[in-house]
Amino acid sequence: MDCVRKTLATADGVLISYMVLDGREPAVVIVHGLAGSGREFLPTARALSGRKVLLIDQRGHGFSTQLPEDTSRAAFVDDIVRILAVEALGAVDLVGHSMGAHTVMLVAAEHPDLVRRLVLLEANEGSGSKEDHAALGDYFRSWEIPFPSRKMASDTLGDGPLAHAWAADLDERTDGFYPKFDPDVMVATIDAVSVPRWKEWGLVTAPTLVVYADHGMFTEEQKATFIHHGANVWRVDLTSASHDAHLDAFDQWIASLNRFISVD
């Protein structure tokens, strides 16, 4: 499957980078979570039965502009909508993980004509505290960068799939390896995500699959409440899976995703 990287300039001067894997339509558009990038969903894209797939690096992430001034939810939504318009894809299957799931939920609420089916992996209406987000920023700032090698980064960050994904996605420069995100931008971004969006969630009309992990970040009460407030929702629970279930419960994730977005 051919993969081409493209760049889109937004109205506020931000460059949004995304990959296009050619295949048959309707296209599948995948949006990663906080501090991630489209790269970590390449295995997912290649497992989608020959479908056309777009993997978007959200603003502040990956190969997109890393220091955008605007980190509002509206800016993230507009970026996705612009790409869909430029690519002239029509209604797509829109997939998001965590913060990216929050983004695509808002896209589906505001632009129902653009979404054939919606898939939310480890998502809710918006939650979290400024204290938790500040601690996350402190964690990212604690990384002793540049890392001398990807292996050293992986050894330092831990042995889990998320740490390996971070290490694989580092930017190689002459003096070492750097993350493709800024801690302050990550904190500003997740602070905006924490505002509950119950109204928008209630406006989503597209058939929606919500995928949760048994060892994810949400309580059963949070999961059940979110599902209850959805209009056209199916729930799937993955076992022995973390918040990053697309990495550590890959086979279950792909099976659930392929079943829901099948066009056969």
Side-chain angles (χ1 to χ4, degrees):
M1 184 182 291
D2 294 334
C3 181
V4 177
R5 183 170 288 278
K6 299 184 178 182
T7 303
L8 173 72
T10 68
D12 63 344
V14 168
L15 299 179
I16 302 297
S17 179
Y18 60 101
M19 291 180 281
V20 180
L21 287 79
D22 198 18
R24 55 191 172 86
E25 297 186 6
V28 183
V29 178
I30 303 179
V31 184
H32 62 83
L34 189 79
S37 77
R39 183 189 181 282
E40 70 193 63
F41 279 93
L42 273 169
T44 294
R46 290 173 174 143
L48 291 181
S49 304
R51 296 281 291 278
K52 181 172 187 173
V53 182
L54 274 68
L55 302 175
I56 299 174
D57 288 354
Q58 296 186 88
R59 58 175 55 211
H61 297 77
F63 287 100
S64 294
T65 297
Q66 290 186 15
L67 298 173
E69 291 186 11
D70 191 350
T71 56
S72 67
R73 293 281 71 208
F76 280 79
V77 169
D78 287 347
D79 294 342
I80 305 300
V81 173
R82 277 177 168 267
I83 290 172
L84 298 184
V86 167
E87 293 291 331
L89 297 174
V92 302
D93 292 334
L94 196 52
V95 180
H97 169 234
S98 192
M99 181 271 287
H102 195 267
T103 301
V104 300
M105 176 188 76
L106 297 179
V107 172
E110 296 177 25
H111 303 274
D113 56 310
L114 299 180
V115 184
R116 188 187 81 103
R117 295 202 167 212
L118 182 67
V119 180
L120 309 178
L121 172 60
E122 280 283 295
N124 76 347
E125 75 287 348
S127 61
S129 69
K130 285 190 175 293
E131 292 76 17
D132 288 342
H133 302 160
L136 180 63
D138 290 340
Y139 167 66
F140 289 142
R141 293 185 199 96
S142 74
W143 294 6
E144 295 184 7
I145 57 174
F147 295 108
S149 67
R150 292 191 195 279
K151 183 180 185 308
M152 183 67 72
S154 187
D155 291 345
T156 301
L157 297 175
D159 194 38
L162 179 59
H164 290 313
W166 275 333
D169 204 34
L170 291 171
D171 182 22
E172 183 176 4
R173 305 179 191 172
T174 56
D175 60 338
F177 294 80
Y178 290 79
K180 290 194 180 81
F181 57 82
D182 175 82
D184 292 338
V185 172
M186 296 301 97
V187 173
T189 297
I190 201 63
D191 275 347
V193 173
S194 68
V195 177
R197 300 287 188 143
W198 287 116
K199 178 181 178 181
E200 290 85 346
W201 174 224
L203 292 174
V204 174
T205 57
T208 301
L209 178 69
V210 181
V211 182
Y212 284 121
D214 57 351
H215 299 298
M217 68 179 294
F218 301 110
T219 66
E220 179 54 37
E221 181 180 2
Q222 288 176 308
K223 297 174 186 178
T225 301
F226 185 65
I227 297 296
H228 176 72
H229 283 83
N232 192 10
V233 183
W234 290 261
R235 172 177 169 176
V236 168
D237 293 272
L238 308 184
T239 60
S240 301
S242 75
H243 181 64
D244 301 286
H246 60 294
L247 300 176
D248 62 15
F250 182 78
D251 290 343
Q252 295 177 70
W253 158 242
I254 289 299
S256 299
L257 181 58
N258 264 323
R259 277 195 300 270
F260 188 70
I261 65 172
S262 172
V263 291
D264 296 331

